[in-house]
Structures are given as structure tokens and as C-alpha cells.
Amino acid sequence: MLWVIGINHKVDIDIRQKFSLTKTKLQEKLIDLKKLANEVIILSTCNRTEIYFFSEEYIDIEEIFTELAWDKKYMPLFYIYKDKDCIKHLFEVVCGFDSLIVGEEQIVAQVKEAKEISDSAGGKNPVLDRLFDLSLRCSKEFRTTSRLNEHPITIASVVGRVIKESNIKKVAIIGLGNIGFLFCNYFKNSDVDKVFLIGRKNEKIDQFVKLNPEKFGYYDKKEAILEAQCLICSTSAPHPVVHKDDIPEGKSLLIFDLAVPRDVDVEVYKLPNVKVIDIDQVHKMDTVNKEFRISKMQENYHIIDKYVDEFIDWLEFRQYKNLIMDMKKHAEQLCKMQVKKLKDFDNQEREKIEVLLLRIANLYIDRAVEVLREAHKEGSGEICSNLMRRIFLK
């Protein structure tokens, strides 16, 4: 059974942040959830936390909440999609349908990262890996055909427009990960005069510092906040990193808190000269080219349907996996038996003959598998598989 449980941007950020999982926690939680299912991948972003499972048996959502130490009173806020609906949901997510900024591309990198983190946590995810790889292929074709790259939209462009309209010239960025890099890349050609970088040095961001040291530079947090007119927060910290004491008394400051959980302490929101805009408010500012993107995406939805069908065909054909493995194992045993009967050859010659026999056997098995695949598509897979058992295994 293939399924996903999740919570997304349709739930208020104050609740959503309770279920956000930082990178440092992801591997630990993946290992915990492997006790419940054969395969697990967690997709955790500022807009969503989703857990994808592949297992022979259905897992009760209460068991998942128990394993993750989540408060069960929030269970009704989670959605659950199974099998085809699960597949379709992931493809819609990676193509930008389920984003607050419709069609945004950042989710593609986040899906790739979720798969990589799961792989590094140990254990194999043959079905989920295939699903995620195919979703990325789907996204590439979908975005190219829809020509979304001609009207790109990112969180940086939305925030950048507000900064320009506010005539802000000095910006501080705290959190120099993927989102921090996105903003640096955006600001390199903007009207902003100075970008204060707060956090650990990042090789990707160093290029901006080296090429334009007058605009980009690394600074201490308090020094940067003192100089800046705007602060952009996007760390992966599990707790607030900007506190009331960090803001000079009476200072006017625009803050974009793009992190989940929040980077900015609630007391900062109450300061009279400080305006804090959180991630959900930023997404509501998305108006540029929105109608164009929506119409183009709907026009090309058939691409998602095509890839959903492709994955379902692959998943259904997987029922013959044991038969194919048995055929190849049996072929290998037969080849070894035949080579043992050869008397007038030395060991080296026998090894070469065995390799040749096995290669020929596998060629015929591969052809038989293709015939089985065709029969499966035509609805006669069971008849064909029974015939193959009689030919290759008896």
C-alpha cells in the first residue's frame, strides 16, 4: 500500500510549525518510522510536512503520532491519500499546484533533498525512490511544456517587490541555506545597496561576496540589524533566533519571517516600529503573472495524468518481481550444471563458457519479460506468467 499523511499551508502557521521537522531531526525520525513501514520519505518545508509510506499493511495514524511524539488532538487537521490519490498528490506538489505561490520552483529542490535525506538514513526505498524520481521527471516536462520559466516566480521575487516599493536599500539576511542563497542571487542585480549576511559562511554565497564585496558581506547579528532597514529570516533553527533584545530601541524595521517554526520571537511582533510579515502573509502577496501560471498549468495537467499512469503500470508490474528473480536464479543454476559436465576444458575455459551461457539465457529471459509486460498491459498477465513458470521453472 502506498500512502501519505500530511499537513500543509491550508493550516495556520502557528499550528503547522508544531509539526515541522528540521534537517537534524529528519534522519532520526526516519529511522523511528522505519519500525512501522518498509519504506518512508519525509517532505518537510515551510509550507508542509508530509510523510510518504510504502508498506504491505496499513498503519494507523495514531501509531505515527505516537512514534513522532506529536499531539494527537491535531490528527483531524491531517490529510491522508492512498495509492493513486497519493501518487497524484505528490506529482501536483512537485509541479507547483499545491504551493501557496502557484507554480513556484523551490519545491523541486526540496523534493530532491527529501529523497536524499531518506537514502542517507539507511535502508532501501525502491518503490518510493521510483515514485520521487518519476515525480521530478514529470515536473521537468510539465514546467517546460507549460513555459513557466518565461514567467518565473519565487519567494525572493515576491519579497523583493515589497522591498523595492518600500525604497529599502539595506537588507540583512539571517540563515544562509537554500533560501538565503535564493535571496542573494536575487539581490545581486537589484537596487539594494547593501546585503548584510548573518550566519555561517556558505561556499555558494561566497561567490556573491567575492564578486561584489561592496554590496555583500558577513556581519554580526546585532551590527547588521542596527544598520539594516529590512531583515529576512530563513533559518532551520527549532526555536526563535531574533529576540526583542536584538532590536535597538525605537528602530524602524521591516522583518520577513520565512521560517517554520518561526525565527522571530512573538515579543518582536509587538514592537511599535517593527513590522513582521510571516511566510503565509508573503504568499498572499503573490499576484504577478498568477493568472497566466494557473491557466498554463491547468492546460497541461494531462502531463501529470500520463506520469501517474506510468507509475501505476510500473507498480502493478512489480507483482512479477519474484517470478523474474526466480527465472534468473534458475537460469544461473542450469548454466553452472551444464558447465560442470564439460570434461575437456580447464577452469578458465569453463568460466568463459559459463559467462557466455548465462548471457544468452538472460537475453531470452529479458525478451520473455517484455512479452510479460505487453501481456500485463493487455490484461492477460496472469496467463502469461503461469506459462513462463512452466517454461522456465519446471
Side-chain angles (χ1 to χ4, degrees):
M1 179 180 289
L2 186 65
W3 59 296
V4 59
I5 71 161
I7 191 169
N8 64 11
H9 54 81
K10 294 171 185 175
V11 175
D12 187 83
I13 186 173
D14 289 320
I15 296 175
R16 199 167 73 238
Q17 68 180 355
K18 298 177 186 292
F19 306 100
S20 179
L21 296 171
T22 61
K23 289 182 185 178
T24 53
K25 285 277 186 182
L26 273 177
Q27 287 199 355
E28 173 191 330
K29 297 304 180 185
L30 281 163
I31 292 169
D32 290 340
L33 290 173
K34 281 277 189 176
K35 301 171 189 173
L36 304 178
N38 306 80
E39 303 183 24
V40 185
I41 293 180
I42 301 174
L43 176 60
S44 185
T45 74
C46 58
N47 284 333
R48 71 186 66 251
T49 297
E50 296 182 340
I51 308 174
Y52 290 82
F53 294 96
F54 179 74
S55 60
E56 299 302 322
E57 297 180 2
Y58 179 78
I59 306 164
D60 193 297
I61 190 171
E62 285 197 23
E63 293 183 67
I64 298 165
F65 269 66
T66 299
E67 202 64 51
L68 297 175
W70 284 351
D71 191 337
K72 293 179 183 177
K73 74 179 181 183
Y74 294 108
M75 286 195 309
L77 298 178
F78 278 69
Y79 47 80
I80 301 176
Y81 300 121
K82 301 174 190 173
D83 298 326
K84 185 174 182 178
D85 289 335
C86 170
I87 300 163
K88 186 177 177 182
H89 174 72
L90 176 61
F91 288 10
E92 287 179 344
V93 166
V94 79
C95 288
F97 275 93
D98 198 54
S99 299
L100 267 174
I101 298 180
V102 180
E104 60 91 12
E105 293 186 44
Q106 189 183 351
I107 188 63
V108 177
Q110 292 166 334
V111 167
K112 285 181 182 176
E113 187 175 47
K115 179 179 175 296
E116 289 167 1
I117 291 173
S118 181
D119 290 343
S120 66
K124 296 182 179 179
N125 294 314
V127 174
L128 290 181
D129 281 351
R130 176 84 176 206
L131 175 64
F132 272 61
D133 285 341
L134 199 61
S135 76
L136 293 167
R137 276 176 48 200
C138 174
S139 173
K140 185 176 181 180
E141 181 178 339
F142 179 83
R143 292 175 186 278
T144 301
T145 306
S146 302
R147 297 165 69 182
L148 294 182
N149 59 327
E150 294 180 10
H151 299 268
I153 192 77
T154 64
I155 194 169
S157 64
V158 174
V159 170
R161 188 175 74 251
V162 176
I163 288 173
K164 184 175 182 179
E165 291 170 354
S166 304
N167 197 32
I168 288 172
K169 299 297 182 181
K170 295 180 179 180
V171 177
I173 300 174
I174 181 166
L176 305 180
N178 292 333
I179 297 179
F181 173 80
L182 192 68
F183 275 98
C184 287
N185 193 47
Y186 179 85
F187 287 136
K188 70 179 180 182
N189 296 319
S190 77
D191 295 333
V192 168
D193 294 333
K194 189 69 181 178
V195 180
F196 303 91
L197 304 172
I198 308 167
R200 296 177 185 173
K201 290 190 176 183
N202 182 320
E203 289 182 8
K204 290 170 68 178
I205 290 177
D206 283 346
Q207 62 180 298
F208 301 115
V209 179
K210 291 174 183 176
L211 291 174
N212 197 345
E214 292 183 1
K215 176 178 278 194
F216 295 93
Y218 292 98
Y219 290 83
D220 172 77
K221 180 173 68 173
K222 289 204 171 184
E223 180 186 0
I225 292 175
L226 180 65
E227 294 289 328
Q229 299 165 282
C230 173
L231 175 62
I232 299 171
C233 307
S234 60
T235 79
S236 57
H239 48 71
V241 295
V242 177
H243 301 272
K244 183 179 178 180
D245 293 344
D246 295 321
I247 315 296
E249 187 176 350
K251 180 175 177 61
S252 295
L253 188 65
L254 175 62
I255 302 177
F256 290 94
D257 187 355
L258 308 179
V260 180
R262 295 181 193 271
D263 272 341
V264 181
D265 187 79
V266 291
E267 292 300 316
V268 177
Y269 283 71
K270 302 174 185 176
L271 293 175
N273 298 316
V274 175
K275 181 179 181 181
V276 184
I277 300 174
D278 66 29
I279 187 70
D280 288 355
Q281 292 170 296
V282 169
H283 287 147
K284 290 174 184 176
M285 298 173 180
D286 170 30
T287 57
V288 179
N289 302 317
K290 188 172 183 177
E291 289 185 7
F292 169 84
R293 282 179 278 129
I294 290 173
S295 65
K296 283 294 181 183
M297 289 168 70
Q298 290 174 340
E299 184 181 316
N300 291 285
Y301 193 89
H302 63 276
I303 294 172
I304 290 179
D305 288 330
K306 180 184 75 172
Y307 279 92
V308 168
D309 290 342
E310 181 180 335
F311 182 78
I312 290 173
D313 285 344
W314 176 85
L315 190 60
E316 288 179 348
F317 189 75
R318 199 169 176 269
Q319 65 182 292
Y320 306 112
K321 181 185 69 171
N322 291 337
L323 169 62
I324 296 168
M325 290 174 61
D326 288 344
M327 286 163 53
K328 294 200 170 187
K329 185 177 180 181
H330 188 57
E332 185 178 354
Q333 292 171 344
L334 284 175
C335 290
K336 289 181 181 296
M337 287 172 56
Q338 295 304 313
V339 168
K340 282 182 180 179
K341 296 177 181 179
L342 300 175
K343 303 298 183 185
D344 300 327
F345 298 91
D346 59 32
N347 289 338
Q348 191 174 9
E349 289 172 327
R350 284 196 182 93
E351 287 177 6
K352 290 180 180 179
I353 293 170
E354 184 178 329
V355 169
L356 179 60
L357 288 175
L358 189 56
R359 188 179 300 163
I360 294 170
N362 282 329
L363 284 172
Y364 278 99
I365 290 173
D366 290 343
R367 176 57 192 142
V369 170
E370 286 306 309
V371 171
L372 177 59
R373 194 182 302 276
E374 292 166 10
H376 173 71
K377 287 181 180 179
E378 294 168 359
S380 55
E382 186 176 352
I383 295 172
C384 185
S385 63
N386 288 334
L387 186 59
M388 286 173 62
R389 284 189 181 88
R390 293 176 63 186
I391 294 172
F392 290 95
L393 298 179
K394 291 185 179 180

